[in-house]
Amino acid sequence: MRAGKTIALVPTMGFLHEGHLALMGEAQRHGDIIVISIFVNPTQFGPSEDFKTYPRDFEQDLHLARSAKADIIFAPNPETMYDNDHETYVQLEGLPDFLCGQSRPGHFRGVATVVTKLFNIVKPQVALFGEKDYQQLAIIRRLTLDLNFNIRIIGVPTVREPDGLAMSSRNAYLSQEEHISALSLFQSLQIAKRMVTKDKITESNRIKEEISRYITSQPHTKIDYVNLCNPVTLKDINKVEEETLIAIAVWVGKTRLIDNIVLKQ
Ligand code: AMP
């Protein structure tokens, strides 16, 4: 509490879209002072990833953040966040070994580090993260417990385009044709959901095969991973359980996209 007021933090990398605005809307319900951070965090990008080309539009972000009633916009420079002598990182020992962590080594170390720094700088009582980045949310929940942050972590459901594509700043990279192929991510998850709920298919392999087949039938796509796992531990499962996370990562042209659903029986 700051003078009896609750601070809610929404960490982002900017190029704001309706997914970010949903987090801001939810933040209004939980906090008196809404802080949005806008920081393209260099430590979470691998050497061959898109740090330099990541879409940025600070003027538009300011406009959107103000219209979403942000009280404070925190947009530090990389040099402010990481001085030349910086040498401390936050690393989880288990959760980053799965899913995106396998193809993006070091990514979650960067995420955990910057989120820890933001927590210490902003000192929120509440912080909001999107379920679209499911593994990130799981990691932040874990680190909040492990490092004794007295912060309530709130997950916000994925906001989608009317055609089903999960909103992402990286969607700006997609050509029209690639955008159409990218719809296969959400569509394949819906097919998987039907396989489980209607057809009562429970073998992970059969579901994974169908998702992969559907996605790769679209042009420009390449599967990074398709996984069925426990939503808390992120460990692979052979058969659908009471709660199952289906998480996928797919290259569409040069753009890597992720999506997921949680099935509850
Ligand atoms: P980013 O700017 O992509 O790092 O995302 C900042 C926050 O917004 C993260 O907590 C994301 O999970 C969340 N987010 C991004 N896209 C969406 C979306 N489509 N729906 C809900 N939350 C999202």
Side-chain angles (χ1 to χ4, degrees):
M1 300 277 199
R2 300 289 167 277
K5 293 200 190 296
T6 303
I7 299 175
L9 170 67
V10 178
T12 81
M13 297 208 298
F15 210 69
L16 301 180
H17 52 66
E18 281 175 46
H20 298 117
L21 299 186
L23 267 64
M24 301 281 293
E26 192 61 23
Q28 298 285 351
R29 303 192 333 110
H30 298 278
D32 305 308
I33 301 173
I34 312 304
V35 181
I36 180 169
S37 62
I38 298 177
F39 181 60
V40 185
N41 173 37
T43 63
Q44 70 188 67
F45 288 80
S48 60
E49 293 185 349
D50 56 346
F51 173 67
K52 286 221 169 87
T53 55
Y54 193 83
R56 292 163 169 91
D57 187 344
F58 191 57
E59 288 307 311
Q60 170 79 350
D61 286 350
L62 283 184
H63 172 74
L64 287 172
R66 284 188 188 126
S67 66
K69 299 204 167 53
D71 296 295
I72 296 173
I73 300 163
F74 178 55
N77 297 320
E79 309 80 60
T80 315
M81 289 295 273
Y82 299 102
D83 72 31
N84 283 338
D85 301 328
H86 182 98
E87 56 174 295
T88 308
Y89 291 87
V90 178
Q91 173 118 33
L92 287 85
E93 305 247 318
L95 288 174
D97 294 346
F98 305 102
L99 305 174
C100 290
Q102 297 201 338
S103 39
R104 303 189 71 190
H107 170 66
F108 289 115
R109 174 181 183 257
V111 169
T113 301
V114 79
V115 170
T116 300
K117 287 167 75 67
L118 289 169
F119 283 178
N120 283 324
I121 295 166
V122 177
K123 300 186 175 59
Q125 285 78 41
V126 180
L128 299 100
F129 296 86
E131 289 174 359
K132 199 211 96 183
D133 299 279
Y134 192 95
Q135 187 173 16
Q136 170 172 283
L137 176 59
I139 283 174
I140 287 158
R141 286 193 196 285
R142 188 70 254 161
L143 90 77
T144 302
L145 288 171
D146 290 351
L147 299 182
N148 306 93
F149 283 113
N150 193 9
I151 300 175
R152 183 168 163 217
I153 305 298
I154 296 176
V156 176
T158 302
V159 177
R160 299 178 179 281
E161 303 278 359
D163 60 17
L165 181 65
M167 292 208 176
S168 161
S169 305
R170 288 190 171 99
N171 291 350
Y173 295 142
L174 299 172
S175 70
Q176 239 175 1
E177 211 179 280
E178 287 170 342
H179 184 117
I180 292 168
S181 291
L183 301 181
S184 62
L185 275 80
F186 178 64
Q187 288 164 353
S188 70
L189 291 173
Q190 294 309 304
I191 292 171
K193 187 176 174 180
R194 276 200 299 277
M195 287 175 82
V196 176
T197 54
K198 284 227 173 91
D199 307 335
K200 308 291 176 206
I201 294 169
T202 56
E203 294 93 314
S204 297
N205 280 342
R206 277 188 68 188
I207 296 164
K208 283 193 218 173
E209 272 165 28
E210 183 54 27
I211 292 174
S212 302
R213 191 201 58 74
Y214 187 82
I215 292 173
T216 51
S217 73
Q218 304 299 310
H220 314 293
T221 57
K222 194 169 139 255
I223 305 269
D224 179 1
Y225 65 76
V226 172
N227 240 336
L228 275 75
C229 55
N230 178 289
V232 178
T233 64
L234 306 184
K235 286 190 178 136
D236 279 11
I237 51 177
N238 295 326
K239 271 189 184 299
V240 169
E241 293 177 350
E242 212 171 306
E243 283 206 8
T244 299
L245 170 68
I246 308 183
I248 60 181
V250 179
W251 287 94
V252 180
K254 291 201 166 97
T255 308
R256 186 176 174 281
L257 300 174
I258 57 173
D259 205 343
N260 70 79
I261 50 169
V262 177
L263 297 182
K264 294 187 181 152
Q265 304 277 34

